Structure formats: C-alpha cells, structure tokens
Amino acid sequence: MKLFKRHNNVLPGFGPTMGYTLLYLSLLVLIPLSALIFKTAGLSWHDFVAVVTAPRVLASYKVTFGAALAAAGINALFGVLVAWVLVRYPFPGKRLVDALVDLPFALPTAVAGITLATVYSANGWVGRYLEPHGIKVAFTPLGIIVAMTFIGLPFVVRTVQPVIEELDSEIEEAAACLGANRLQTFRRVLFPLLLPSVLTGFALAFARAVGEYGSIIFIAGNMPMVSEITPLVIITKLEQYDYQGATAVATVMLVASFVILLIINLLQKWSRRYAD
Amino acid sequence: MSIEVENIHKQFGSFTALNDVTLSIPSGELVALLGPSGSGKTTLLRIIAGLERADSGRILFNGEDTTEHHVRERKVGFVFQHYALFKHMTVFDNVAFGLNVRPRGTRPSKSEINAKVMDLLRLVQLEGLAQRYPAQLSGGQRQRIALARALAVEPQVLLLDEPFGALDAQVRAELRRWLRKLHDEIHVTSVFVTHDQEEALEVADRIVVMNKGRIEQAGTPDLVYDHPANPFVLNFLGNVNLFHGRLNQPGADQHGADENAVSYVRSHDIEIERSPQDSTALKAEIRHIQKLGPSVRVTLAIDATGEFIEAELTRDVFKNLGLQQSEQVYVRPRQVRVFVEDYQI
C-alpha cells in the first residue's frame, strides 16, 4: 500500500483528508447503521429469525429485490440506448432531452408516484390502452417496476454517457477495416468497453430502487403477499411501535443489498480485467 | 494490387483538403505520402481506405472502381498512428478479430485461426505475448500488433497513417527498418503517411510530396532529393539556404527566367574556407556555432547582402578549420538550384 508509506508519498494532506473522510463516513453512515444492528441485537436469535422469515416479510423481499433487479435491468438496457442517442446523434431539442433525463433526481418521489399511478391506472392516459390487453400496471407488482425504473433512469444514463463520449472513433474504423459489420462492432468492440460503466449504473439504479419508498406506495396497491415492499413492512412495524422487528427486517435488507452490490462490484472489476 | 487515384477533391467547410489529386501507385510498391501537417496526406490515405468520402474523383484498385465500396469490402489493412488496438482483448484476440468476424461460411476453423495468428505473431516477432493485453505492451510492440492485425485479413493494400509517429526516436528508426524488411518479404502494395523526410527517404520505393492539398512531386527518393521540382520539395527534404538573385555558379541547376531568381543551397552543400579559392566564394562572418552530435551547424551573415545562411559541417571539417565565433571566412556553395520567385515557402 503506497498510501501508507508517508515519506514516499508526494501528495500532500493525506493525514487530514483521510481523517476527515473517516469522521464523515462514521457520522453519516457507520454510526447510524451500527445503531440499527445494535437495536436489532435486543432480539434473541430465535425471535430474529421468526420476524425476518415471516411469510409476509419473505414475500416483501421477493417483491422488492425482484422488482429492483428487473427495473435496474430495464434501465441498463434503455439507459445505454438513451446515452448512445444523446452522445452520437445531433437532433433538435437535444439539450432539452438531456436535461429531462435528470428530472427523476429532482422530482419529489411522492409526486412521481401519484403521477405514475394516475397515468397507468385503468382510466389513465396510458393505462386505458393497456387495460383491454389485460395488462394492469397500477396497483400491481408491475407498477412497482415502473416506479423503480422511473427513479433509476438517470443513474445508467449518467454513468454510461461519459464513457461513450470517450470512445475513440478509430477503434470503430479499425473494426470496419477488418470486415466487422455494425452489429459485430458494437457487440465485440464497443459493448465490452461500455460494460464496466453499465454495471456501475446498474448497481446504482438497483440500490436506489431497493431503497425507494415514496413513489412506490402510491402505485403499488400495497397488498400483503402480492405488492407490498419491504420498506413498507418496516414502516408498518414502526407504526405499531415494533422497533426491534422493524430494525431486524432493515438489517436483513441491509445485508442483502450489501451482498448484491458486492457481487456487482466484483463483476465490474472482472469486466475491466484488461486495464491492469 | 495497383491503386489509381483520379482527380480526388475533398473539402472540409471552407478548407480544401485535397485539390484535384491524381496519383498512380504500382502494385507491390511501398509509397510514402510526405508533407507537412494540413497538406492532405492523411485525408488522401483515408479516402483510399474508404474511411472518408471524396467530394469528387475516383479510386481504382487494379483498375476496378472502388469509390462506392464500403470500407468493409475494400480489403484494406489500415494501421493507425495511435494503434487503435482493442484494449479489452488479448493480443491473440486482436490479431484474430478480422478472421473471427467473417461470416460463418468463409470463417476459418478455430485451429486454422490459431495457426494463422501464431504465424503472424512470429512475423512481427511477438509470439510470446499472445495472452497479454495491449496495456501491458510498449508502444513499438503495440504498433507491431496493429500491423499483424491488419495483415491477418490478407489485405490487398496496406495503409499506414503515421505508423511511427507516436514512438520515440530509437524505436522509430528500428521499426521503419523492420517495416522495409517486412515489405520486401510480403510485397503487399503499401502506402504510408509521414511528415518525417528521413523516414520517407529511408523506407519508401517512391515518395509523393504533398503540400496544401496538392501533389508537389512524386518519384523515387533519389529523384525527389536530387532533382526537386520546386522550392517546396527542396525545402521539405532538408535544410536549405536562400540567396536572392542568381549565384554565378558553374553547373547550377537553372529553372526559369532571370528576374526574381532565387538560388537555393542545402546547408551541407556549403563549404567554408579561410581564403577564397576563386571568385565564387562569398565573404561572410560567423555568427553562431551549434554542435549537433556528428555535425556542426554554423550560422553566417553574408557581408555583401546581410543575408543569414546556415552551413552544416562534419565535426572533422569543423575541427580542422578551427572556426570561432565572429570570424571572417569565405563560403562557397557546392550545388546551387535556381528557381524563379513565384513560389513562396
């Protein structure tokens, strides 16, 4: 570790900046999270298992993580498409579209949830055309995916966009000279170079979706066992003054999210194995 | 495969990159496009490759019009200045790329591809590096891989865009000698772009000197060096001194009428002597002495006109003369070329 050999390091300020970083992370992340686990520790192991594996809670994990993975997947696909269009092609109103992408960041999630629920309900602008085909979006798990996709959109676009901008046009020309068609060039040359950033965007969108509460409760319908998300289970427990139960479920969410993010990170490292 | 470039014109906005360029490249030759930056040499190369479209004019390969052919169909090998290797692929996969993307019907089998790639890696003397990634190679190694990758598809024409431009001087010299040797072995018609006259003179069978979107002269290295068509070619192929007016020289290479004549003398064609041997010697004062390894550059001011000239001497000659700054000496141009002054450098 080069960083810790003080006299060999020409970069100044390692001590103060590292100290500040640790303090900052402790106050904002580490201490609240350890309080969570501390509170959970009030439960016996037997009780803890009973709480976190209750059928209704298990169903909520499935809904939350399943929908979040689906939403992040959709975002990974269409986010790359949006980023590609924004970087590669000039078109009128490009700046407007570019600004539009960030809107889900800024919009209060409750507003987003109510709007989406209205648009996708049986007599909403979009919902009325889906309803006759037997597709129900609002107040079903599908609605949860829609809300999660909405709030996760900017993550993939904004992580992939600069990487597409940096792509060297010469490698595409080289591929064309070697006889590759457009699809082969994209699949074999461009996509592998985008993959690390797509995975980062996927991880961010996924993390955001798992933690989302505000917009989903308006569109989900919140039916236990069907369309109830884990954050709502936690809120319900809190409203019933079941603090230990709430923190127990939160702890499971925390660990599960951490493990999934870790796996994505490892995938991301693997996808850029050529760089070192 | 011969290449014919016919009346190619290319405009970028208000900038004329190529102005009615016509050029014929015989099969199997190694040709250098030589010129300063902005002379259109890279644009011409990219148009031959099909990476750029000409506004008008035609490109013929072996007499066949390829103007409308896509770069994929032209079967050209292109080597980029900055290698353009696929950094996420191993050296092996980079070289195999052109074979792997062929349609199933014409794609060689895995073992054939394997054999072919290893052959090419042997050809570029990098057979031990097949499993490395480009990031783990030096610049010279990367460029040789880029060359192997271009050769893998058995191109009819090999095009190289400043192939040694990003390398340091020693690797550069080594690699261009190697390229010459390689070309003698495989004889594929090759065109390379360079702004380095030494590189062009050393490597190429023929040199095409370009300036401002036009071809100034095309010919063998000896021809363009010994008989430059105009002051631009003369100046671009080595340091040259200007004498306004016609120098009275026996055997001077004379062009054009007398008025506005300018005499050009290469700096190593200027002799310095302590006493005038004959009437052609000019009196001058040494202003500056600069030692450049094996040679010495002496800046002199001609007494009669006040013009500054540069002479390049070998170290031995310089030592024997024992020249000092501010000394009065006599200079005698050995070989003079006279052009009428409507050309501007």
Side-chain angles (χ1 to χ4, degrees), chain B residues 222-239:
Chain B
D222 284 345
L223 181 84
V224 291
Y225 191 81
D226 291 334
H227 304 287
N230 57 47
F232 177 83
V233 177
L234 177 64
N235 191 50
F236 202 74
L237 291 175
N239 294 328

Side-chain angles (χ1 to χ4, degrees), chain B residues 308-323:
Chain B
F308 281 91
I309 63 163
E310 276 181 358
E312 219 170 292
L313 313 176
T314 64
R315 237 184 153 79
D316 280 351
V317 171
F318 176 79
K319 263 191 200 149
N320 288 341
L321 286 167
L323 299 175

Side-chain angles (χ1 to χ4, degrees), chain A residues 170-171 173-182 184 188-189 192-193 273-274 276, chain B residues 46 51 71-72 76 78 80 84-89 97-98 100-101 133 136 149:
Chain A
E170 281 190 353
I171 59 166
E173 292 176 350
C177 288
L178 293 166
N181 60 35
R182 295 299 295 163
Q184 286 170 321
R188 289 171 178 265
V189 177
L193 296 172
R273 63 203 175 284
Y274 52 83
D276 38 56
Chain B
R46 289 174 61 86
L51 292 171
V71 53
R72 268 199 304 280
V76 295
F78 202 98
F80 295 85
L85 291 175
F86 307 130
K87 61 180 178 182
H88 61 289
M89 292 183 199
F97 184 84
N100 279 328
V101 296
Y133 286 102
Q136 298 164 320
R149 182 179 68 176

Side-chain angles (χ1 to χ4, degrees), chain B residues 170-338:
Chain B
Q170 207 166 356
V171 181
R172 223 181 143 106
E174 196 183 302
L175 214 53
R176 69 188 186 218
R177 246 160 259 154
W178 176 82
L179 175 71
R180 181 67 244 187
K181 225 179 87 214
L182 183 79
H183 185 264
D184 292 341
E185 281 170 37
I186 59 178
H187 282 301
V188 57
T189 311
S190 308
V191 183
F192 76 102
V193 157
T194 181
H195 58 254
D196 182 344
Q197 36 104 1
E198 210 179 290
E199 194 167 290
L201 290 169
E202 180 176 341
V203 177
D205 294 320
R206 267 151 51 87
I207 295 179
V208 177
V209 184
M210 296 189 64
N211 181 36
K212 293 182 183 157
R214 288 179 172 281
I215 292 175
E216 299 280 356
Q217 190 177 10
T220 62
D222 284 345
L223 181 84
V224 291
Y225 191 81
D226 291 334
H227 304 287
N230 57 47
F232 177 83
V233 177
L234 177 64
N235 191 50
F236 202 74
L237 291 175
N239 294 328
V240 72
N241 293 299
L242 276 72
F243 294 90
H244 288 279
R246 201 178 278 279
L247 283 181
N248 245 341
Q249 278 287 308
D253 198 358
Q254 311 261 337
H255 295 255
D258 227 43
E259 75 276 9
N260 304 326
V262 180
S263 305
Y264 295 85
V265 185
R266 289 218 166 93
S267 47
H268 57 83
D269 280 336
I270 288 186
E271 243 169 287
I272 298 180
E273 31 195 53
R274 293 234 167 245
S275 53
Q277 305 251 318
D278 54 43
S279 61
T280 61
L282 300 164
K283 202 169 176 221
E285 187 189 296
I286 296 179
R287 287 295 174 85
H288 190 67
I289 295 170
Q290 200 174 4
K291 294 181 182 170
L292 310 160
S295 63
V296 180
R297 188 189 296 153
V298 182
T299 309
L300 306 113
I302 305 288
D303 267 12
T305 59
E307 282 176 316
F308 281 91
I309 63 163
E310 276 181 358
E312 219 170 292
L313 313 176
T314 64
R315 237 184 153 79
D316 280 351
V317 171
F318 176 79
K319 263 191 200 149
N320 288 341
L321 286 167
L323 299 175
Q324 300 287 333
Q325 192 148 339
S326 320
E327 251 185 312
Q328 292 288 333
V329 290
Y330 291 88
V331 296
R332 201 153 52 83
R334 255 193 306 245
Q335 197 174 10
V336 182
R337 285 177 190 81
V338 182

